[in-house]
Amino acid sequence: MAVFIECAGLIPIILGATYSEYCKFLEEQYTELEPEVRRWARVEARRRLREQGVESAAIRLIPVPSQWEKRTADPKPRRKRRVKYRDQIRRWPPETPPCPKCRMAGDLPKRSWPTREMAEEVCSRQNDPNLHAYPCPVQPGFWHLGHRRKR
């Protein structure tokens, strides 16, 4: 957006403390331009971005914010979820162990129930109509919960 505004012949005004605030104010400046000026600025800015690249075209226009947004403060949220799930596994009772072979999303082990009734009881408490109990293909006598496949 800053390159678009500069190509329109204006100096982009950068306000805010985060990139999302920068974008909000730049978008306001851009929408205040006349439609014909915006069209010409888009064409010129795209040409400049192709020739120079995004980094070199915009680096001098946008300062680095003094404080980061919460999303950028935690670069690996998936890793935290995995650690949290592994801690939950340790608290499972011994009669519902993690399956040694069956996995769910994120390559995390599925929980096994010793009877179908126990699995269906947990399934009914989840309030998910697509969730159902099915027998474990690896451990005979144990059951897992899973979603029905779409056909």
Side-chain angles (χ1 to χ4, degrees):
M1 278 293 165
V3 176
F4 285 30
I5 293 168
E6 187 187 47
C7 287
L10 300 172
I11 297 171
I13 300 168
I14 309 296
L15 297 173
T18 63
Y19 282 122
S20 61
E21 290 174 2
Y22 290 177
C23 290
K24 185 177 88 175
F25 288 112
L26 288 171
E27 192 172 333
E28 288 175 8
Q29 293 172 50
Y30 180 72
T31 55
E32 290 174 3
L33 296 173
E34 295 293 322
E36 189 63 32
V37 174
R38 273 189 293 198
R39 189 172 67 76
W40 185 85
R42 273 196 314 271
V43 170
E44 180 62 25
R46 287 182 181 140
R47 183 191 59 76
R48 188 181 296 180
L49 291 170
R50 263 194 313 273
E51 291 174 359
Q52 299 176 5
V54 176
E55 292 275 331
S56 60
I59 194 93
R60 61 186 171 73
L61 299 173
I62 306 290
V64 176
S66 59
Q67 59 181 343
W68 291 94
E69 295 181 46
K70 289 182 181 179
R71 281 181 281 144
T72 58
D74 186 14
K76 303 209 189 276
R78 192 177 281 168
R79 184 179 292 168
K80 281 189 173 182
R81 275 184 269 153
R82 182 176 300 242
V83 170
K84 185 178 176 183
Y85 187 77
R86 297 256 184 228
D87 289 341
Q88 282 179 340
I89 290 174
R90 287 190 212 118
R91 291 192 301 267
W92 288 351
E95 59 268 4
T96 60
C99 186
K101 183 83 173 166
C102 300
R103 301 280 181 222
M104 53 187 209
D107 199 38
L108 295 168
K110 283 194 168 217
R111 191 171 186 176
S112 302
W113 281 268
T115 64
R116 181 180 188 146
E117 291 76 27
M118 285 179 70
E120 286 178 348
E121 180 187 333
V122 172
C123 188
S124 66
R125 284 186 271 149
Q126 298 299 318
N127 293 327
D128 187 350
N130 295 328
L131 199 63
H132 72 287
Y134 66 93
C136 177
V138 179
Q139 299 176 339
F142 280 91
W143 294 78
H144 293 308
L145 300 182
H147 287 93
R148 300 186 192 279
R149 289 191 178 159
K150 295 179 182 176
R151 293 183 183 196

